[in-house]
Each structure stands twice: as C-alpha cells, then as structure tokens.
Amino acid sequence: MSSASLLLRRSKPATNVISFIRIFSRPMGGGPRTFPGGLNKWQWKRMHEKKAKEKEKRLLDQEKQLYEARIRSQIRAKLYPKPDPAPVTTISHHNPMSPQEHIKGLADRFMKEGAEDLWNEDDGPLKSEQRPGSSGATNERMRAVGSPPIDLRSLISDKGNRGNVSSDNVNSSNFMKTRNYSVHSGEKFRRNENSGFSRNLAGKGAKNVNNSRNVNDYMNKKRNFNRNESCSSEEAKNLRPIAQNLGNNGKNFNSRKVSDFIKNKVVGGGRRRFNRNESSSSDDDDLEFELENVGDKVEGWTDVKKLGSSASLGKYDMKTTKRVPLNRLEEENDFSEQVELIRKEISRNKLVENSGEKNGEDSILSKKRFDECGISPSTIKALTAAGYIQMTRVQEATLSVCLEGKDALVKAKTGTGKSAAFLLPAIEAVLKTISSGTTQRVPPIFVLILCPTRELASQLTAEAIALLKYHDGIGVQTLVGGTRFKVDQKRLESDPCQIIIATPGRLLDHIENKSGLTVRLMGLKMLILDEADHLLDLGFRKDVEKIVDCLPRQRQSLLFSATIPKEVRRISQLVLKREHAYIDTVGMGCVETPDKIKQSCLVAPHEQHFQIVHHLLQEHISNVPDYKVVVFCSTGMVTSLLYLLLREMNMNVREIHSRKPQLYRTRVSDEFKESKRLILITSDVSARGMNYPDVTLVVQVGIPSDREQYIHRLGRTGREGKEGEGILLLAPWEEYFLGDLKDLPLDRFPSPRLDPNIKLQMDGAMAKIDGSVKEAAYHAWLGYYNSIREIGRDKTTLVELANKFCQSIGLQKPPSLFRKTALKMGLKDIPGIRIRK
Ligand SMILES: Nc1ncnc2c1ncn2[C@@H]1O[C@H](COP(=O)(O)OP(=O)(O)OP(=O)(O)O)[C@@H](O)[C@H]1O
C-alpha cells in the first residue's frame, strides 16, 4: 500500500493532511524540499509527530468514554429489574441493553467494514504462543469445565431471536440482509472485495464443519493474501470455500454463561488496547475488548482453538503491553454520579412507558435504536450525548432509504424529529465521500441544506454541530441574509466546511457573485430541502430553481415537510429523480396535526381581536404556571403593533419578525428557546421548523395564508408527542377558511365576554403607540388581505374592512398610499383609499 493511501486510511481529511498526501503522492525523486507553510522537513516531521500524539490521546479518551458507557449499561441492567421482553404492541421506550444483547451487538459490529482488520494475526508485537495467560491457562480452565464453546457467528446470525441466542436454527444470511452492511447493498465491503470473505460469511455455509481449522486455514491464507497484494486469482478462489464454511458454525453458544460473565464484572479484569491502525473505528475497539474478555474469562469453553473462536479472536488479544487495565479506569471514576443519572433515566423511561400504555400510538418514538441502523459510531455517541437513543418514527421510516442513497420526499407531522432524519444521512454522506478519498484542489461542499428562514438555518446548524461533536474535521456553516456578505466570504475561505445550511436568497447571492462557492458546489453529493413545500412555493421557487441549476445532477436529493400538497408533489420533480421514494408517516386520510394538541377557533369582529388576545393570554397564564405562548400575526408590522400594545399592558412579551435586525432576532429566538413564562409575538418567520421547547399555547390572529401555514404554526406546540393548545382567531368574513380545516379536530367556541375596563386600558395603551407604527400596520394589513385571493377580489369590501381596522387601532383616518402602490394593488379608484399627493 502506498504511503499516501495509508495516510488516507488513517487520518481524517483535514486540509493540511490532504496537502500532505498530495505532496507525498508526487513521483519519487528526492521528495519536496519545502513543505506547506514554509516548513522544512524536520519541522514538518515534528508537527506530524505532535499531531499523532494528540490523536493518540484523543483515542485514549474515547476508549475511556466507551468503557464508561459500558459500565453504565451494566449498572442500568442491574438496576432495571427485568430485561425488556419487548412485546410488539407496547409503546416504545428506551430500555437498557442486557449484557447478552450488548455482546451480541459487539459481535454484530465485528462483521462491519474494517472489522476484517481484526482478524489479522500479525496485528501485535507478541505472538499467541507467548501468551500463556490467554491461550494456555484459560484454555486449560475451559477444557476442565467442559461447557460448550461460544460462537460469535451464532450471535451474529441470530438476529431474529434475541431472547435465545443459543438457537440452533440460525440463518446468517437473513441477518446479513437486514443490515446496512449487508452483502445486499454490496457497498460497505468494498475495501476487501478481493477476498470475497465478507460476502461468503453471509451465505449459508455447510453444516458441521471443523470451523476452527477452516478459520485458521483461512486466516493463514488471508494473511498471505494481504501481504502479497498481487495474489493470484487462483489463490483467491481457494479462499472462498473456506470462508463459506465459516458461515454456519453457530450451534453451541451458551448465552447464560456469557451474561453471567458480564454480570460478574469481568470487564474489571479485562484489558484494552489501541488498534495500531488508527483508521479502525471505536467499534472495532469495543469488539476486540469484548472478544478478548470472552476469551480470557468465560468459563465453560472447551478448546477455543479447535472450535473456531481462536479465529474470531485470532491471536489478536495479544497486545497486553498496550492495554489499559480497566480496574484502574474504574478507580479513576466516581460512578455514584453516573448511577444517579441512570436512576433518573430509568424513572424517565418508566414515565414514558406509562404514558405510552395510556396513549398507545401517540409516542413519536419507534422501537428501533440508533445503534441498530448502521450509522457511524461517532454519530451514535453524539446522539447518545444529546439524549437520543431510540429513533422517532419518521427517522426509522426514512433512515435506511436515505442511507441507501435514494431520493426521497418525506412527510411527517410537526415536532417528530425530521431534522435529525435528514441530518444523519447528510453526515453519513460526508463520511462516505471523505473515506472514498478523492482529493480536490478546492474543498468541495458535499451537502447543501436549504430552509426558508434564518432562525431555522441557525437551529439546524446547531443541531448538525451537536451531531458532529465527535467527528473532527467535518465542518458546517450557515449562509443567511442579514449578515454581511463579505463576512460570509471570509468565513468560507478561512474555515472550509463540507456542509452548508442556507436560505435560498443568500446562497443565490453567493452563486451569482461568483464567490467561489459555485465551484465548491460542483462536488455536491446531497441536497436537502427542509420545509420543502414552502421552498417550492411561488415565493422561493425561482431562487431554488436557479440554485438547483448550479448543482451536479448526480446527487441525492431529500425533501422534508409536515405538509406536502398535491401540487408540490408534482413540482418536486424539479429537484427529485423520477424514481424517488415517497414516505408519508402521517398516512392517507389521517389527521395531519399532532394528536395531543387541543385545537379551537373563535370568531369575532376584527376590532376586538387585540383585546381577545389579551384576554386569552391572561386566562392561559392563570391556568398554566409554566406558560410559554406564541402569538402569530399576519404581517411584521401588525406583529410590532400588537407587541407594543401588550408590552404597554405589562405583559411579558417579545417580538420576532422580518423588520427586526438579525442580531435582535437571534437574541430573542435564543431567549425564547430557553425561557418559560414568556410570550412571543411573531410573524410567519417563526411558523416553520422552529423548535421552541414546551410551548403551551399557540394563538393565530387572523386567517393564515393557507391550510399548510395553519398546520405549521400550530405545530410550534405539542412537539415530541407532548400536549399543547392552539386557538385560531378569525373575523366573521374570514370564517370561510374553516372549510379548509374541516378534517382537523377544531372546536368552535363563542367569543369571550370582554371586560369594558380592560377595553379602556387598552385604548389608553394604544394611544401611547407611535402613529408611524400604526400607519405601517394599516398598510401591511391592507397588503396582506389584498394578496389573499378570496378577500382580495372584492376590493370595495376589502377597503371597508381595512378602514374599520384602522379605526380600531386608533387612527382617525386611513393613511394614504403612493399612487404607484395603489395601482399595483388594484386599489387606485376604490372608495375609501387615499392617494398620497
Ligand atoms: N430520536 C429522538 N429522540 C428524542 N428526541 C428527538 C429525537 N429526534 C428528535 N428529537 C427531538 O424532537 C424535537 C422535534 O424535532 P424536530 O425539530 O426535528 O422536528 P420536526 O419534525 O423537524 O418539526 P417541524 O415540522 O416543526 O420542522 C426536538 O426537540 C428534537 O430534539
């Protein structure tokens, strides 16, 4: 293997490493005199030695964390009285892994890409003969007990029968087909295609073969094969039948012994080691750790060598010198804190379980765990750190399709975890592309995520960063309006990233200004449209089309939204391949809003709306101590007016709308995320995607632009399967809109009795607000309703209504319009419209 490809396997493609590879892949002949950054050979060498040390330290830390996780898992297993029988009908919740499942999981990982390295007998400074402790004494002990041997392949192949790992009727091929690393996909084993080993493991091997001998034969031959890359095809052919036989030796696994062994804290006496090959994942480390402990400690093994386990272990657990004694690690840790954490987790799980029993299908979580779905271990670690153990239903439904590389159009209710559902495949796409190792002069963008608002872009970026916590060298950047273009450019140059999350307008600015981003986008592997229906709406479609035109055709595209109207399905072809998957987790004819949101509607004259909002808020605050309310208004200026009014009424309010500077918007958005007992008055900039935790009430003042917008606004509450409340406040002439919502569970209530004293107070508060705000609100109001087809057609009625609104906000006469504006709006000669002279 050349030094360049060796480096590629071992390191992540930080730019300096890529340039390093580039330099060393030059033709031989003395090598370069200077290195990047003007370093001489020795400085360069020292720099890399330092980096290697840092990396080693990082890996040590990782190992330590993994070990701690395992200890936690065991404690959890002990604290939790019985392992989950997992009946199909009960609601999903996170149960601790039983030790048996744990070791099985590790054994599963043994079959992953790269795990072949674990079989290499030469991977250690000592030979097995020099290891009396493991192969000698231990085997003696095992022989004495005379129990049947453990067989990891039976563990692996017994996927469908978790409770009975020692089943005789194992079928490894079935299991392999269910994995992402399956032969079926054929992708993940590419590195070792020559050997045919992995493929053959998946096949049904002949029964009753002397596996141990075969394994040893195989290992010897494979070793030779590995050493001599130009091995003849004849030799390769010889390997195949041997490997085939390995597929079926899963007969005599004594599962109880293994769980006993784990329960008895065998880990305390275990030893760990670093894999010399840095490219091997922490998964591999896990596995090898577990394997060597099994080899050392399980009682009841007869002859490891004879029965194939020595092949699984190889002489692999030989690196005694490098291993960190686990009991030392144990001493270093104070587990009392962790036990407390686990206790909390268990009681939370019980809560989820109980609520699940009550609510049946209501939980957004599925039964599947992230560590079962073939995503990278570092991502799983980050997910665990973020508290994500089980997938949500939409994540379960989409992940495998997305990981296969198919285009997909996905519909799932609000607050059900769509963001992670597309971020995870996005990260996998980057990892896959990086590992394929193509170096390019300009660092390409591999994933582009488009979303409609700046706040949503920031939120997605934060989530992506959390998921990338343990992936060094993968960067994500946001491109949104409201920031200086030049700053964006500098950021892009100084901090190359592989993932960009952008709003269409700003991204297009970059593309049209030829900022260098266009070239970087030529390497794009995945395009994601979050809130896809909105991005394909008239407001955004042109920009999105222009952007898509600049992207390579050979890419994967994923479209996600809680609402996908028919026309959007049609135009989605602009982005998606014809043969894309359509995944609808809501289901045809099912209610599109979360079940636990109580929805109601009030109809009252427009002039009363602000006072009704005040009344509803007061009522809610007195009933819900930890209230958190979002009030949606039709336009930014009306939002501003209502905000000022409620502030004058001494309510704890904040505002977000497009007229506010970006810094202010971000600050308020962050504050609202973290707060309770706060009311956010906002325009539709907060309608989609924003994940404000624990919103208790959503009020929509006036008719939303369409049914979809109603659903998205409402979806700011009742997220993650929690309860919530939504109230829609309409004027009598807006009632027709209820026809669009007739399939939703909306209760209609009479308008509340309003207190005349409060009316007086509100009039007083309104009088204090600057006239310019009110004028702007009037113009915005007129513009908004004029744009709604059903109302905007009857211009005379529209102007009459606008003038009533004008009076209700304390303006003596309607503010005038520019002639040009009036003309554009079709209002020039309508009675009641005043034209500016
Ligand atoms: N697997 C998971 N386990 C636990 N919580 C999760 C999981 N996936 C997502 N969540 C949480 O669910 C909440 C909603 O997620 P997210 O914002 O992705 O929803 P969404 O479907 O995109 O909503 P919207 O349609 O409003 O955009 C977030 O708080 C997120 O942290």
Side-chain angles (χ1 to χ4, degrees), residues 59-105:
L59 282 167
L60 253 173
D61 287 345
Q62 262 177 25
E63 281 219 8
K64 195 172 156 186
Q65 279 170 8
L66 279 168
Y67 166 69
E68 286 170 13
R70 189 167 305 113
I71 292 285
R72 277 198 295 276
S73 169
Q74 286 175 36
I75 299 171
R76 207 181 287 137
K78 280 193 173 174
L79 287 178
Y80 216 89
K82 26 176 183 174
D84 180 21
V88 185
T89 46
T90 58
I91 205 69
S92 323
H93 59 271
H94 162 52
N95 278 348
M97 246 182 170
S98 73
Q100 192 175 306
E101 281 175 323
H102 194 115
I103 194 170
K104 183 177 173 303

Side-chain angles (χ1 to χ4, degrees), residues 26 45 62 65 79 85 121 176 368 429 437 448-449 498 526 578 669-670 712 785 801 828:
R26 283 178 197 169
K45 195 168 164 240
Q62 262 177 25
Q65 279 170 8
L79 287 178
E121 283 188 302
M176 291 299 282
K368 203 159 178 192
L448 172 63
I449 302 175
Q498 296 84 358
M526 186 184 276
R578 190 187 281 271
S669 176
D670 291 346
H712 286 275
Y785 283 107
L801 293 166
K828 197 179 128 264

Side-chain angles (χ1 to χ4, degrees), residues 388 390 395 414-419 531 689 691 716 719-720:
Y388 296 8
Q390 286 164 265
Q395 288 158 3
T414 50
T416 54
K418 292 187 287 296
S419 315
E531 308 300 341
N691 184 42
R716 295 321 96 203
R719 297 176 76 73
E720 301 175 54

Side-chain angles (χ1 to χ4, degrees), residues 400-418:
S400 57
V401 175
C402 297
L403 290 176
E404 274 172 32
K406 282 192 189 139
D407 280 13
L409 176 59
V410 180
K411 177 176 168 183
K413 289 184 188 181
T414 50
T416 54
K418 292 187 287 296

